[in-house]
Amino acid sequence: MPATHQEALRARTEVTTASTSCAGTFCLPRSLATFLLCRMRGSGRPGAAA
């Protein structure tokens, strides 16, 4: 099940808070960090609790 909008937004906010260089638009490292943070929390895995 993919991350919810709320989970993805929280992860993105945490990434941009930790690294202000990723706060702009079109930032691949920010996108990858957000994706990985969601995955580490269990979002996006089959059978993960919603």
Side-chain angles (χ1 to χ4, degrees):
M1 177 178 291
T4 65
H5 176 33
Q6 183 78 15
E7 292 168 330
L9 183 59
R10 179 177 170 211
R12 184 180 189 268
T13 300
E14 291 172 0
V15 168
T16 56
T17 299
S19 176
T20 56
S21 65
C22 285
T25 57
F26 307 115
C27 181
L28 181 60
R30 179 193 61 224
S31 297
L32 293 174
T34 300
F35 166 77
L36 291 172
L37 190 54
C38 286
R39 290 294 289 223
M40 287 178 12
R41 290 181 176 160
S43 301
R45 286 188 290 155

